Amino acid sequence: MTPDVSTLRRLRRALLRWYRAAARDLPWRRTSDPYAIWVSEVMLQQTQVATVLPYYERWMQRFPTVTELAAADEQDVLQVWAGLGYYSRARALLRGAREVVARHGGQVPRRTEDLKALPGIGPYTAGAIASIAFGLREPVVDGNVTRVLCRIFGLRGDPNAGQLRSELWRLAALLVPPRAPGEFNSALMELGATVCRPGKPDCERCPVRLLCAARAAGMQEELPELPKAPATEPLRMAAAVIPRDDRILLVRRRPGVRWAGLWQFPALEVGAGRSRAGRCAGTCATRLESKQRRSATWRRSAIRSPASA
């Protein structure tokens, strides 16, 4: 489907008017620095705004420019990121910063294709940086925008499937206005995050409710038609705390496994049938201390050994 020009204009006007009056005051919305916007977009992937806020502030204090991030040690970067999850995002940011310094003279590139060539930057993140930081007329489609567009235009089917996914990007590109494209994209994302939420949307507060095909058909709670998420599997770990005088043993996770590259107490996954993780602590310590000796280190600790207690 292709919305007519009048509908496009009404959608743009209504969304921008609402956003300027109701948008949340967030630190990355007070800047046009492409590096800061890049950091915020990566942090916000699969993470709630309330969780991201303190991490973003701490990150920008520690690595205020792309050149300072590029010069940082990976372990320092992971330490600042620690607790935010999906650590591959932090590593990709670091690799991307180093490429910006090496290939672009320390300046985040303006061209969308150059942005997408950086590690960890896909079409959505590239579009967000290009439109918000550089004012380019580039679309964005993330989970929030997908939900908004599926409801406004009454789109059926799996939005992650190829055909509908392409249609969402086409509609998003049509909607982006030539003026204030970044502000408009932010409005789409904000609408999905705060009003057009998953499950039961707050249609009475929606600035485009009169233009929404899903609401008109009473289908706003049924769209988008996402596939059922796989069941979450609990993970049980047994860890051993091994002190030696004023030091404590840590091992580094090997590449290719969960939490790769991070330091932790010697630990093993415990089968679901075990009721007490402590039963495996001795085995865990023996196996990992011998198996991963090369990636182990003794770090100073406030924990005292029983002999010195």
Side-chain angles (χ1 to χ4, degrees), residues 133-174:
F134 299 120
L136 302 181
R137 194 179 182 184
E138 294 287 347
V140 297
V141 177
D142 67 348
N144 287 323
V145 173
T146 292
R147 188 165 54 254
V148 169
L149 294 183
C150 282
R151 287 171 174 169
I152 288 177
F153 297 110
L155 301 177
R156 305 293 299 267
D158 181 359
N160 297 317
Q163 185 173 352
L164 184 50
R165 193 68 180 168
S166 297
E167 176 66 3
L168 288 168
W169 276 97
R170 188 185 71 86
L171 289 169
L174 284 174

Side-chain angles (χ1 to χ4, degrees), residues 38-195:
W38 177 12
V39 170
S40 72
E41 291 297 340
V42 172
M43 286 189 170
L44 287 165
Q45 293 168 12
Q46 298 175 291
T47 309
Q48 297 292 322
V49 167
T51 302
V52 165
L53 281 168
Y55 284 93
Y56 175 83
E57 299 282 10
R58 186 160 58 246
W59 181 283
M60 296 305 297
Q61 289 175 1
R62 179 66 178 81
F63 311 115
T65 68
V66 70
T67 54
E68 289 179 78
L69 174 59
D73 179 77
E74 182 180 288
Q75 288 304 310
D76 291 338
V77 170
L78 293 176
Q79 184 177 19
V80 176
W81 190 277
L84 196 53
Y86 301 97
Y87 291 89
S88 60
R89 296 181 294 174
R91 292 191 179 93
L93 263 172
L94 177 58
R95 294 197 308 273
R98 289 173 176 171
E99 286 200 21
V100 166
V101 170
R103 299 186 181 184
H104 302 282
Q107 300 296 316
V108 177
R110 292 175 58 93
R111 294 179 65 249
T112 306
E113 293 308 312
D114 290 335
L115 288 167
K116 286 193 287 188
L118 296 174
I121 294 186
Y124 161 75
T125 306
I129 297 170
S131 62
I132 298 171
F134 299 120
L136 302 181
R137 194 179 182 184
E138 294 287 347
V140 297
V141 177
D142 67 348
N144 287 323
V145 173
T146 292
R147 188 165 54 254
V148 169
L149 294 183
C150 282
R151 287 171 174 169
I152 288 177
F153 297 110
L155 301 177
R156 305 293 299 267
D158 181 359
N160 297 317
Q163 185 173 352
L164 184 50
R165 193 68 180 168
S166 297
E167 176 66 3
L168 288 168
W169 276 97
R170 188 185 71 86
L171 289 169
L174 284 174
L175 275 170
V176 181
R179 295 182 180 180
E183 192 177 23
F184 178 81
N185 284 337
S186 296
L188 271 179
M189 293 185 281
E190 182 78 347
L191 186 69
T194 62
V195 176

Side-chain angles (χ1 to χ4, degrees), residues 7 22 37 49-50 69 113 120 122 178 190 213 231-232 251 265 273 286 296 299:
T7 299
I37 292 165
V49 167
L69 174 59
E113 293 308 312
E190 182 78 347
T232 301
V251 295
F265 296 129
T286 303
R299 298 286 179 88

Side-chain angles (χ1 to χ4, degrees), residues 35 55 120 138 195 246 274 300:
Y35 165 66
Y55 284 93
E138 294 287 347
V195 176
D246 64 343
R274 297 185 183 268
R300 290 194 179 276

Side-chain angles (χ1 to χ4, degrees), residues 121-298:
I121 294 186
Y124 161 75
T125 306
I129 297 170
S131 62
I132 298 171
F134 299 120
L136 302 181
R137 194 179 182 184
E138 294 287 347
V140 297
V141 177
D142 67 348
N144 287 323
V145 173
T146 292
R147 188 165 54 254
V148 169
L149 294 183
C150 282
R151 287 171 174 169
I152 288 177
F153 297 110
L155 301 177
R156 305 293 299 267
D158 181 359
N160 297 317
Q163 185 173 352
L164 184 50
R165 193 68 180 168
S166 297
E167 176 66 3
L168 288 168
W169 276 97
R170 188 185 71 86
L171 289 169
L174 284 174
L175 275 170
V176 181
R179 295 182 180 180
E183 192 177 23
F184 178 81
N185 284 337
S186 296
L188 271 179
M189 293 185 281
E190 182 78 347
L191 186 69
T194 62
V195 176
C196 196
R197 300 185 298 263
K200 189 176 180 61
D202 189 356
C203 293
E204 295 308 310
R205 287 203 302 126
C206 180
V208 295
R209 61 187 179 277
L210 299 181
L211 299 170
C212 180
R215 182 173 182 268
M219 296 176 57
Q220 63 269 32
E221 295 182 25
E222 300 173 27
L223 297 179
E225 295 179 335
L226 294 167
K228 187 176 180 180
T232 301
E233 295 185 11
L235 174 65
R236 187 187 297 270
M237 302 287 292
V241 180
I242 308 174
R244 177 185 294 172
D245 298 326
D246 64 343
R247 295 177 181 271
I248 196 162
L249 181 67
L250 297 178
V251 295
R252 191 174 186 180
R253 302 281 291 182
R254 66 183 185 275
V257 301
R258 187 184 290 109
W259 310 310
L262 299 183
W263 292 92
Q264 64 172 47
F265 296 129
L268 288 173
E269 292 188 17
V270 181
R274 297 185 183 268
S275 60
R276 292 174 62 91
R279 293 175 184 174
C280 295
T283 302
C284 163
T286 303
R287 288 176 59 186
L288 279 176
E289 190 174 359
S290 60
K291 185 177 180 181
Q292 299 185 5
R293 191 174 298 278
R294 291 183 180 179
S295 61
T297 185
W298 292 90

